[in-house]
Amino acid sequence: MRAIDVIAKKRDGGELSRAEIDFMVKGYTSNEVADYQMSALLMAIYVRGMSTRETIWLTEAMLFSGEVVDFAGLGKPRVDKHSTGGVGDKTSLVLAPVVAAAGVLVPMISGRSLGHSGGTLDKLESIPGFRTNLSLAEFRAALKDIGVALIGQTSEIAPADRKLYALRDVTATVACPALMAASIMSKKMAEGISGLVLDVKVGSGAFLKTEPEATGLARLMIEIAGSLGKRAVALITDMNQPLGRTIGNSLEVIEALEALKGRGPDDFIELCRTLAAEMFVLAEEVEDSLSGRALYDKMIVSGRAMDKMIEIIVAQGGDPGVSEDYTLFPTAGHTRPVQAAESGFLQSVDAEALGRASMVLGAGRERLDSPIDPSVGMRIEARIGDSVSKGATLATLHFNDSARANEAATVAQMAFSVGPEAAVPPRLVKSMLR
Ligand code: URA
């Protein structure tokens, strides 16, 4: 078999066989298929799509590119959640400690920032000393000791996704349902979980912009989970504006720490409660979502969730002092406002543009080897439906480089649309699929 023939088949709209998909995934993971060949195949898949069975084969090839962890011996329920990617989405930083604090195992394999969206690993690495690159042995040990760990794909677990994820990030091939489903499900199925909650984002800051597209992706991922004998539920949630009030690595971790202390913006807290409740239901800790929400509140109010977060930080080499002293986080040197050009109501927000503006400031990558600046980002001051006066601050940029700040300010300014009509805030949770 030759890579060039597989690429040509997909380029011309053909359906790949399981053997062809295995060949490309194995070859790429072992460096026999070159980056440029895999980039061409990814673009062909992006343009031509994949059938459901091709997507299942791709997921399996990626899943079995590495080890599948088995935590069944620990005798506890094991659940996780994954988001399809958004702007300001830091829910994993709250859910992992909350759910683990209630005695459920959370073996979480996350991603880095992808396209305009942020990534849990980059956020966590803004905690001084925090290591997300635990070995498989360290991952197992953390699960045994404290019931939770947050790591990235490794050379042992989901290595194919590790390489493909980074390649998609820099080849404009992220927003493709088949590639997203295979990426997400391959790493999640490698974690040895019994149940998965999927947060499928839809709207201006999501990779998929319409509800039918998001629902299609949710169905596809639930089908893949079922084909591998796992339970999954999906919530279709709003991404027409950033979640919470912050975008950028340090800023988002601070917002998550505040949420663990019971403080923070309503939308962010509400989504954390909703997702945690479904994780508790899947873990069979509670019978229904209402009791799941109550359990979330109990973990927060009792301080057990925050204690678990401190355990995670210590176990993964980070400085636990950050939980009380936010000045320990990398902090940007300067701030500047983005102001409303006219009075009226905030009609809409181009959340993807705000994600791109944060990348321009240095919060994301433009190339495989671009460094991340953990200190930069922005604070969002206005929400859809708010009444704003001319000159009011819509967002505050946190930056270190003035030229980048000028560019980001122009992008951010155009992302907010203010008009005379009253505007209705979008519904946070649009639907749920089982
Ligand atoms: N999250 C992932 O892990 N993979 C994707 O492709 C998109 C979001």
mmCIF file of all heavy atoms in Angstrom, residues 25-61:
data_model
loop_
_atom_site.group_PDB
_atom_site.id
_atom_site.type_symbol
_atom_site.label_atom_id
_atom_site.label_comp_id
_atom_site.label_asym_id
_atom_site.label_seq_id
_atom_site.Cartn_x
_atom_site.Cartn_y
_atom_site.Cartn_z
ATOM 1 N N VAL A 25 -2.667 5.647 9.710
ATOM 2 C CA VAL A 25 -2.527 6.047 11.116
ATOM 3 C C VAL A 25 -1.267 5.420 11.723
ATOM 4 O O VAL A 25 -0.469 6.099 12.379
ATOM 5 C CB VAL A 25 -3.799 5.681 11.923
ATOM 6 C CG1 VAL A 25 -3.584 5.878 13.420
ATOM 7 C CG2 VAL A 25 -4.980 6.508 11.445
ATOM 8 N N LYS A 26 -1.069 4.132 11.439
ATOM 9 C CA LYS A 26 0.147 3.457 11.968
ATOM 10 C C LYS A 26 1.389 4.103 11.382
ATOM 11 O O LYS A 26 2.354 4.400 12.085
ATOM 12 C CB LYS A 26 0.142 1.979 11.572
ATOM 13 C CG LYS A 26 -0.618 1.113 12.517
ATOM 14 C CD LYS A 26 -0.123 -0.358 12.428
ATOM 15 C CE LYS A 26 -1.023 -1.262 13.238
ATOM 16 N NZ LYS A 26 -2.093 -1.886 12.454
ATOM 17 N N GLY A 27 1.355 4.328 10.053
ATOM 18 C CA GLY A 27 2.519 4.900 9.365
ATOM 19 C C GLY A 27 2.841 6.289 9.894
ATOM 20 O O GLY A 27 4.004 6.638 10.104
ATOM 21 N N TYR A 28 1.802 7.070 10.160
ATOM 22 C CA TYR A 28 2.061 8.436 10.639
ATOM 23 C C TYR A 28 2.602 8.409 12.070
ATOM 24 O O TYR A 28 3.537 9.134 12.417
ATOM 25 C CB TYR A 28 0.777 9.279 10.542
ATOM 26 C CG TYR A 28 1.035 10.717 10.914
ATOM 27 C CD1 TYR A 28 2.009 11.461 10.236
ATOM 28 C CD2 TYR A 28 0.332 11.333 11.942
ATOM 29 C CE1 TYR A 28 2.277 12.773 10.581
ATOM 30 C CE2 TYR A 28 0.601 12.649 12.292
ATOM 31 C CZ TYR A 28 1.577 13.356 11.605
ATOM 32 O OH TYR A 28 1.851 14.658 11.958
ATOM 33 N N THR A 29 2.034 7.510 12.896
ATOM 34 C CA THR A 29 2.476 7.445 14.292
ATOM 35 C C THR A 29 3.942 7.005 14.373
ATOM 36 O O THR A 29 4.690 7.443 15.246
ATOM 37 C CB THR A 29 1.567 6.484 15.094
ATOM 38 O OG1 THR A 29 0.212 6.810 14.798
ATOM 39 C CG2 THR A 29 1.774 6.611 16.587
ATOM 40 N N SER A 30 4.347 6.146 13.421
ATOM 41 C CA SER A 30 5.737 5.651 13.476
ATOM 42 C C SER A 30 6.662 6.441 12.542
ATOM 43 O O SER A 30 7.766 5.989 12.234
ATOM 44 C CB SER A 30 5.763 4.171 13.112
ATOM 45 O OG SER A 30 5.261 4.031 11.791
ATOM 46 N N ASN A 31 6.195 7.586 12.080
ATOM 47 C CA ASN A 31 6.995 8.501 11.236
ATOM 48 C C ASN A 31 7.308 7.952 9.838
ATOM 49 O O ASN A 31 8.174 8.487 9.159
ATOM 50 C CB ASN A 31 8.324 8.893 11.909
ATOM 51 C CG ASN A 31 8.093 9.623 13.200
ATOM 52 O OD1 ASN A 31 7.146 10.399 13.286
ATOM 53 N ND2 ASN A 31 8.902 9.370 14.208
ATOM 54 N N GLU A 32 6.603 6.894 9.392
ATOM 55 C CA GLU A 32 6.858 6.414 8.026
ATOM 56 C C GLU A 32 6.047 7.220 7.012
ATOM 57 O O GLU A 32 6.465 7.396 5.876
ATOM 58 C CB GLU A 32 6.511 4.929 7.902
ATOM 59 C CG GLU A 32 7.653 4.039 8.393
ATOM 60 C CD GLU A 32 7.156 2.779 9.052
ATOM 61 O OE1 GLU A 32 6.294 2.101 8.452
ATOM 62 O OE2 GLU A 32 7.612 2.479 10.178
ATOM 63 N N VAL A 33 4.878 7.674 7.433
ATOM 64 C CA VAL A 33 4.108 8.594 6.584
ATOM 65 C C VAL A 33 4.515 10.000 7.023
ATOM 66 O O VAL A 33 4.539 10.313 8.214
ATOM 67 C CB VAL A 33 2.596 8.364 6.787
ATOM 68 C CG1 VAL A 33 1.778 9.473 6.159
ATOM 69 C CG2 VAL A 33 2.194 7.007 6.208
ATOM 70 N N ALA A 34 4.874 10.838 6.017
ATOM 71 C CA ALA A 34 5.406 12.171 6.341
ATOM 72 C C ALA A 34 4.280 13.142 6.725
ATOM 73 O O ALA A 34 3.121 12.946 6.346
ATOM 74 C CB ALA A 34 6.150 12.707 5.130
ATOM 75 N N ASP A 35 4.667 14.207 7.456
ATOM 76 C CA ASP A 35 3.715 15.271 7.834
ATOM 77 C C ASP A 35 2.957 15.793 6.610
ATOM 78 O O ASP A 35 1.755 16.007 6.656
ATOM 79 C CB ASP A 35 4.484 16.469 8.416
ATOM 80 C CG ASP A 35 4.743 16.325 9.913
ATOM 81 O OD1 ASP A 35 4.093 15.486 10.556
ATOM 82 O OD2 ASP A 35 5.611 17.068 10.422
ATOM 83 N N TYR A 36 3.694 15.991 5.491
ATOM 84 C CA TYR A 36 3.036 16.602 4.328
ATOM 85 C C TYR A 36 2.024 15.649 3.705
ATOM 86 O O TYR A 36 1.001 16.077 3.177
ATOM 87 C CB TYR A 36 4.061 17.094 3.285
ATOM 88 C CG TYR A 36 5.104 16.090 2.873
ATOM 89 C CD1 TYR A 36 4.841 15.128 1.914
ATOM 90 C CD2 TYR A 36 6.376 16.100 3.459
ATOM 91 C CE1 TYR A 36 5.797 14.200 1.539
ATOM 92 C CE2 TYR A 36 7.339 15.184 3.087
ATOM 93 C CZ TYR A 36 7.045 14.226 2.133
ATOM 94 O OH TYR A 36 7.996 13.311 1.773
ATOM 95 N N GLN A 37 2.275 14.327 3.818
ATOM 96 C CA GLN A 37 1.287 13.383 3.277
ATOM 97 C C GLN A 37 0.057 13.337 4.179
ATOM 98 O O GLN A 37 -1.081 13.336 3.702
ATOM 99 C CB GLN A 37 1.914 11.993 3.152
ATOM 100 C CG GLN A 37 2.959 11.952 2.050
ATOM 101 C CD GLN A 37 3.669 10.618 1.974
ATOM 102 O OE1 GLN A 37 4.175 10.130 2.984
ATOM 103 N NE2 GLN A 37 3.705 10.049 0.792
ATOM 104 N N MET A 38 0.308 13.307 5.487
ATOM 105 C CA MET A 38 -0.841 13.284 6.399
ATOM 106 C C MET A 38 -1.624 14.584 6.296
ATOM 107 O O MET A 38 -2.853 14.576 6.342
ATOM 108 C CB MET A 38 -0.356 13.025 7.835
ATOM 109 C CG MET A 38 -1.475 12.774 8.803
ATOM 110 S SD MET A 38 -2.754 11.599 8.230
ATOM 111 C CE MET A 38 -2.245 10.073 8.949
ATOM 112 N N SER A 39 -0.925 15.712 6.103
ATOM 113 C CA SER A 39 -1.634 16.995 5.946
ATOM 114 C C SER A 39 -2.560 16.926 4.730
ATOM 115 O O SER A 39 -3.698 17.396 4.783
ATOM 116 C CB SER A 39 -0.649 18.148 5.727
ATOM 117 O OG SER A 39 0.268 18.213 6.767
ATOM 118 N N ALA A 40 -2.061 16.321 3.642
ATOM 119 C CA ALA A 40 -2.882 16.226 2.422
ATOM 120 C C ALA A 40 -4.098 15.337 2.673
ATOM 121 O O ALA A 40 -5.216 15.650 2.257
ATOM 122 C CB ALA A 40 -2.044 15.683 1.274
ATOM 123 N N LEU A 41 -3.877 14.227 3.392
ATOM 124 C CA LEU A 41 -5.017 13.345 3.671
ATOM 125 C C LEU A 41 -6.045 14.059 4.565
ATOM 126 O O LEU A 41 -7.252 13.971 4.326
ATOM 127 C CB LEU A 41 -4.544 12.040 4.344
ATOM 128 C CG LEU A 41 -5.688 11.069 4.645
ATOM 129 C CD1 LEU A 41 -6.351 10.560 3.357
ATOM 130 C CD2 LEU A 41 -5.215 9.877 5.477
ATOM 131 N N LEU A 42 -5.546 14.773 5.589
ATOM 132 C CA LEU A 42 -6.473 15.485 6.480
ATOM 133 C C LEU A 42 -7.308 16.484 5.689
ATOM 134 O O LEU A 42 -8.520 16.591 5.890
ATOM 135 C CB LEU A 42 -5.695 16.215 7.591
ATOM 136 C CG LEU A 42 -5.031 15.336 8.656
ATOM 137 C CD1 LEU A 42 -4.146 16.187 9.576
ATOM 138 C CD2 LEU A 42 -6.067 14.581 9.491
ATOM 139 N N MET A 43 -6.659 17.202 4.779
ATOM 140 C CA MET A 43 -7.418 18.187 3.995
ATOM 141 C C MET A 43 -8.424 17.487 3.084
ATOM 142 O O MET A 43 -9.553 17.959 2.915
ATOM 143 C CB MET A 43 -6.450 19.083 3.193
ATOM 144 C CG MET A 43 -7.128 20.264 2.531
ATOM 145 S SD MET A 43 -8.074 21.295 3.694
ATOM 146 C CE MET A 43 -6.776 22.332 4.372
ATOM 147 N N ALA A 44 -8.032 16.336 2.517
ATOM 148 C CA ALA A 44 -8.974 15.593 1.670
ATOM 149 C C ALA A 44 -10.174 15.129 2.508
ATOM 150 O O ALA A 44 -11.325 15.205 2.073
ATOM 151 C CB ALA A 44 -8.272 14.403 1.021
ATOM 152 N N ILE A 45 -9.910 14.679 3.748
ATOM 153 C CA ILE A 45 -11.017 14.246 4.629
ATOM 154 C C ILE A 45 -11.882 15.455 4.980
ATOM 155 O O ILE A 45 -13.109 15.385 4.987
ATOM 156 C CB ILE A 45 -10.465 13.565 5.907
ATOM 157 C CG1 ILE A 45 -9.762 12.246 5.563
ATOM 158 C CG2 ILE A 45 -11.582 13.332 6.924
ATOM 159 C CD1 ILE A 45 -9.027 11.582 6.729
ATOM 160 N N TYR A 46 -11.218 16.580 5.250
ATOM 161 C CA TYR A 46 -11.958 17.799 5.609
ATOM 162 C C TYR A 46 -12.941 18.166 4.496
ATOM 163 O O TYR A 46 -14.091 18.496 4.736
ATOM 164 C CB TYR A 46 -10.955 18.947 5.841
ATOM 165 C CG TYR A 46 -11.582 20.224 6.320
ATOM 166 C CD1 TYR A 46 -11.610 20.535 7.680
ATOM 167 C CD2 TYR A 46 -12.169 21.124 5.433
ATOM 168 C CE1 TYR A 46 -12.193 21.704 8.129
ATOM 169 C CE2 TYR A 46 -12.766 22.288 5.870
ATOM 170 C CZ TYR A 46 -12.773 22.577 7.217
ATOM 171 O OH TYR A 46 -13.364 23.725 7.665
ATOM 172 N N VAL A 47 -12.460 18.075 3.254
ATOM 173 C CA VAL A 47 -13.279 18.511 2.128
ATOM 174 C C VAL A 47 -14.313 17.432 1.757
ATOM 175 O O VAL A 47 -15.475 17.728 1.500
ATOM 176 C CB VAL A 47 -12.370 18.841 0.913
ATOM 177 C CG1 VAL A 47 -13.196 19.135 -0.322
ATOM 178 C CG2 VAL A 47 -11.463 20.030 1.244
ATOM 179 N N ARG A 48 -13.913 16.173 1.757
ATOM 180 C CA ARG A 48 -14.791 15.090 1.280
ATOM 181 C C ARG A 48 -15.608 14.439 2.392
ATOM 182 O O ARG A 48 -16.592 13.752 2.118
ATOM 183 C CB ARG A 48 -13.948 13.998 0.609
ATOM 184 C CG ARG A 48 -13.285 14.443 -0.671
ATOM 185 C CD ARG A 48 -14.331 14.706 -1.729
ATOM 186 N NE ARG A 48 -13.743 14.878 -3.038
ATOM 187 C CZ ARG A 48 -14.452 14.918 -4.143
ATOM 188 N NH1 ARG A 48 -15.767 14.814 -4.103
ATOM 189 N NH2 ARG A 48 -13.861 15.086 -5.297
ATOM 190 N N GLY A 49 -15.162 14.573 3.647
ATOM 191 C CA GLY A 49 -15.871 13.939 4.766
ATOM 192 C C GLY A 49 -15.554 12.455 4.860
ATOM 193 O O GLY A 49 -14.768 11.912 4.069
ATOM 194 N N MET A 50 -16.187 11.812 5.854
ATOM 195 C CA MET A 50 -16.013 10.367 6.051
ATOM 196 C C MET A 50 -17.362 9.755 6.365
ATOM 197 O O MET A 50 -18.196 10.393 7.027
ATOM 198 C CB MET A 50 -15.090 10.101 7.246
ATOM 199 C CG MET A 50 -13.614 10.106 6.907
ATOM 200 S SD MET A 50 -12.629 9.577 8.331
ATOM 201 C CE MET A 50 -11.313 8.708 7.468
ATOM 202 N N SER A 51 -17.567 8.521 5.958
ATOM 203 C CA SER A 51 -18.788 7.823 6.339
ATOM 204 C C SER A 51 -18.686 7.463 7.828
ATOM 205 O O SER A 51 -17.596 7.538 8.414
ATOM 206 C CB SER A 51 -18.937 6.544 5.518
ATOM 207 O OG SER A 51 -17.875 5.657 5.843
ATOM 208 N N THR A 52 -19.817 7.036 8.414
ATOM 209 C CA THR A 52 -19.783 6.666 9.840
ATOM 210 C C THR A 52 -18.813 5.519 10.060
ATOM 211 O O THR A 52 -18.033 5.527 11.008
ATOM 212 C CB THR A 52 -21.201 6.283 10.320
ATOM 213 O OG1 THR A 52 -22.045 7.418 10.114
ATOM 214 C CG2 THR A 52 -21.214 5.914 11.791
ATOM 215 N N ARG A 53 -18.814 4.525 9.133
ATOM 216 C CA ARG A 53 -17.909 3.398 9.415
ATOM 217 C C ARG A 53 -16.450 3.781 9.228
ATOM 218 O O ARG A 53 -15.594 3.322 9.963
ATOM 219 C CB ARG A 53 -18.305 2.128 8.669
ATOM 220 C CG ARG A 53 -18.272 2.209 7.191
ATOM 221 C CD ARG A 53 -18.679 0.867 6.620
ATOM 222 N NE ARG A 53 -18.430 0.895 5.190
ATOM 223 C CZ ARG A 53 -18.446 -0.156 4.426
ATOM 224 N NH1 ARG A 53 -18.697 -1.342 4.934
ATOM 225 N NH2 ARG A 53 -18.216 -0.039 3.129
ATOM 226 N N GLU A 54 -16.166 4.681 8.285
ATOM 227 C CA GLU A 54 -14.774 5.166 8.182
ATOM 228 C C GLU A 54 -14.369 5.868 9.488
ATOM 229 O O GLU A 54 -13.241 5.722 9.972
ATOM 230 C CB GLU A 54 -14.634 6.196 7.049
ATOM 231 C CG GLU A 54 -14.508 5.658 5.655
ATOM 232 C CD GLU A 54 -14.411 6.807 4.639
ATOM 233 O OE1 GLU A 54 -15.365 7.604 4.537
ATOM 234 O OE2 GLU A 54 -13.378 6.914 3.976
ATOM 235 N N THR A 55 -15.307 6.656 10.053
ATOM 236 C CA THR A 55 -14.987 7.407 11.279
ATOM 237 C C THR A 55 -14.748 6.450 12.448
ATOM 238 O O THR A 55 -13.847 6.665 13.265
ATOM 239 C CB THR A 55 -16.120 8.408 11.601
ATOM 240 O OG1 THR A 55 -16.442 9.126 10.425
ATOM 241 C CG2 THR A 55 -15.710 9.371 12.693
ATOM 242 N N ILE A 56 -15.554 5.383 12.508
ATOM 243 C CA ILE A 56 -15.349 4.386 13.579
ATOM 244 C C ILE A 56 -13.987 3.700 13.378
ATOM 245 O O ILE A 56 -13.218 3.527 14.326
ATOM 246 C CB ILE A 56 -16.512 3.372 13.615
ATOM 247 C CG1 ILE A 56 -17.798 4.085 14.051
ATOM 248 C CG2 ILE A 56 -16.196 2.190 14.556
ATOM 249 C CD1 ILE A 56 -19.062 3.234 14.076
ATOM 250 N N TRP A 57 -13.647 3.366 12.140
ATOM 251 C CA TRP A 57 -12.339 2.720 11.880
ATOM 252 C C TRP A 57 -11.196 3.664 12.242
ATOM 253 O O TRP A 57 -10.186 3.247 12.803
ATOM 254 C CB TRP A 57 -12.217 2.295 10.408
ATOM 255 C CG TRP A 57 -13.140 1.179 10.019
ATOM 256 C CD1 TRP A 57 -13.648 0.204 10.837
ATOM 257 C CD2 TRP A 57 -13.674 0.914 8.704
ATOM 258 N NE1 TRP A 57 -14.458 -0.644 10.111
ATOM 259 C CE2 TRP A 57 -14.487 -0.239 8.807
ATOM 260 C CE3 TRP A 57 -13.546 1.532 7.459
ATOM 261 C CZ2 TRP A 57 -15.168 -0.790 7.710
ATOM 262 C CZ3 TRP A 57 -14.219 0.992 6.365
ATOM 263 C CH2 TRP A 57 -15.027 -0.163 6.500
ATOM 264 N N LEU A 58 -11.394 4.950 11.899
ATOM 265 C CA LEU A 58 -10.341 5.927 12.219
ATOM 266 C C LEU A 58 -10.180 6.037 13.743
ATOM 267 O O LEU A 58 -9.055 6.031 14.263
ATOM 268 C CB LEU A 58 -10.698 7.298 11.616
ATOM 269 C CG LEU A 58 -9.724 8.438 11.913
ATOM 270 C CD1 LEU A 58 -8.324 8.152 11.369
ATOM 271 C CD2 LEU A 58 -10.230 9.768 11.334
ATOM 272 N N THR A 59 -11.301 6.086 14.443
ATOM 273 C CA THR A 59 -11.239 6.170 15.917
ATOM 274 C C THR A 59 -10.498 4.959 16.475
ATOM 275 O O THR A 59 -9.625 5.097 17.344
ATOM 276 C CB THR A 59 -12.667 6.199 16.514
ATOM 277 O OG1 THR A 59 -13.424 7.207 15.865
ATOM 278 C CG2 THR A 59 -12.634 6.456 18.018
ATOM 279 N N GLU A 60 -10.841 3.782 15.968
ATOM 280 C CA GLU A 60 -10.200 2.565 16.498
ATOM 281 C C GLU A 60 -8.708 2.547 16.172
ATOM 282 O O GLU A 60 -7.888 2.174 17.009
ATOM 283 C CB GLU A 60 -10.910 1.326 15.960
ATOM 284 C CG GLU A 60 -12.286 1.185 16.591
ATOM 285 C CD GLU A 60 -13.069 -0.050 16.149
ATOM 286 O OE1 GLU A 60 -12.545 -0.857 15.357
ATOM 287 O OE2 GLU A 60 -14.212 -0.171 16.592
ATOM 288 N N ALA A 61 -8.361 2.949 14.955
ATOM 289 C CA ALA A 61 -6.932 2.969 14.586
ATOM 290 C C ALA A 61 -6.184 3.922 15.515
ATOM 291 O O ALA A 61 -5.074 3.624 15.982
ATOM 292 C CB ALA A 61 -6.770 3.402 13.134
#
